[in-house]
Amino acid sequence: MEELVVIRDMCKVYNPGENEVRALDHVNLKIDRNEFVAIIGQSGSGKSTLMNMLGCLDVPTAGIYMLADEDVSRLSDDELSFIRNKQIGFVFQGFNLIQSLTALENVELPLIYRKVPKATRQELAMRALEKVGLGNRITHKPSEMSGGQQQRVAIAREIAQAPPIILADEPTGNLDSQSSKEIMSILKELNREGRTVILITHDSEIAMEAKRIIHIKDGRIDYDEIKENA
């Protein structure tokens, strides 16, 4: 398998000195391209800090982070932003949709920033919404949709941009059980199509949907297992 993520001896320290907090404490991790990985841990375990590192939203205090053979550990904010836009699709618990825009317009928006021509971006957005089962809801605004539908719009927004990595942070946290199943089904389908999916969760049932489970505790990887039936 081709290595996509390589983390070596990563530390993230807040308040260095006498009252320092080691959010990440010498973490080593490899994730291959096209894996479906769940990173699980309780509040304060370090999983959110690790997500910020994986998503190039922050940089480590020490250690190396190689993403697609590029060392992103010490990049500037602008350089990290470029990597995020190129490599990573984010799905957050809070959907992060713009309330005044329709589903189609929400999905189109990042493509506008990329200066994708109007006809092309509308086609990409429509195709993405159809893929998540919302082809008949393109003119609806977030307030006119359920939580599960809003999360599907958020996923469609990332599908349209075609990033190789989907980083999903508690994507079912605000959803009922049926909507959660639908969202996990979409993420699994994206993985089957070749995307690398990294799921951050505190929910062990949701984590079991992944092919590999990494448990983090006190800023360190407690265990890392590949499911036998994966």
Side-chain angles (χ1 to χ4, degrees):
M1 296 287 285
E2 181 186 354
E3 291 177 345
L4 180 63
V5 167
V6 178
I7 287 174
R8 298 194 192 102
D9 213 27
M10 180 184 282
C11 297
K12 184 64 178 180
V13 180
Y14 297 102
N15 304 320
E18 189 175 333
N19 298 315
E20 73 178 24
V21 176
R22 285 189 168 267
L24 295 176
D25 192 5
H26 299 284
V27 170
N28 292 281
L29 175 64
K30 292 182 180 179
I31 298 174
D32 289 337
R33 197 174 292 277
N34 199 29
E35 276 201 89
F36 189 166
V37 179
I39 297 175
I40 185 169
Q42 296 304 311
S43 178
S45 63
K47 71 179 188 302
S48 295
T49 303
L50 182 56
M51 184 211 73
N52 287 340
M53 301 299 156
L54 290 168
C56 296
L57 297 167
D58 199 357
V59 293
T61 306
I64 298 295
Y65 176 21
M66 302 293 295
L67 177 60
D69 295 324
E70 182 172 2
D71 185 354
V72 298
S73 312
R74 299 290 178 268
L75 296 184
S76 68
D77 288 345
D78 286 346
E79 290 168 329
L80 288 172
S81 178
F82 178 79
I83 293 290
R84 285 196 302 271
N85 291 336
K86 180 181 173 185
Q87 296 278 358
I88 304 166
F90 292 92
V91 180
F92 292 108
Q93 180 176 350
F95 317 139
N96 290 4
L97 301 178
I98 296 177
Q99 297 298 310
S100 61
L101 300 183
T102 65
L104 185 66
E105 290 166 341
N106 266 288
V107 175
E108 276 189 86
L109 191 59
L111 302 175
I112 293 174
Y113 294 146
R114 290 186 178 187
K115 296 181 170 53
V116 176
K118 184 175 181 179
T120 302
R121 70 175 184 254
Q122 286 186 341
E123 181 182 350
L124 289 169
M126 272 297 305
R127 201 180 301 162
L129 284 165
E130 287 168 358
K131 189 175 187 63
V132 299
L134 291 177
N136 61 341
R137 307 281 286 184
I138 63 171
T139 61
H140 288 69
K141 294 182 178 179
S143 61
E144 300 170 313
M145 292 184 282
S146 68
Q149 289 170 334
Q150 290 183 65
Q151 189 63 292
R152 281 189 272 164
V153 173
I155 293 174
R157 181 179 55 198
E158 305 312 320
I159 291 172
Q161 299 178 75
I165 303 169
I166 298 290
L167 186 58
D169 181 23
E170 302 281 7
T172 63
N174 287 333
L175 306 180
D176 59 41
S177 58
Q178 182 56 40
S179 296
S180 295
K181 288 178 184 177
E182 292 169 356
I183 295 305
M184 291 309 300
S185 177
I186 292 169
L187 291 176
K188 284 192 278 189
E189 178 61 24
L190 290 172
N191 177 245
R192 283 192 291 270
E193 292 174 358
R195 311 285 177 93
T196 303
V197 178
I198 303 174
L199 173 68
I200 313 294
T201 184
H202 70 280
D203 188 328
S204 57
E205 286 189 25
I206 293 296
M208 288 300 292
E209 299 284 339
K211 298 175 183 177
R212 176 183 173 195
I213 300 174
I214 297 168
H215 187 270
I216 188 165
K217 180 180 180 182
D218 298 330
R220 297 184 177 186
I221 292 177
D222 192 31
Y223 63 81
D224 182 347
E225 63 179 9
I226 297 174
K227 290 166 58 181
E228 292 183 6
N229 61 347

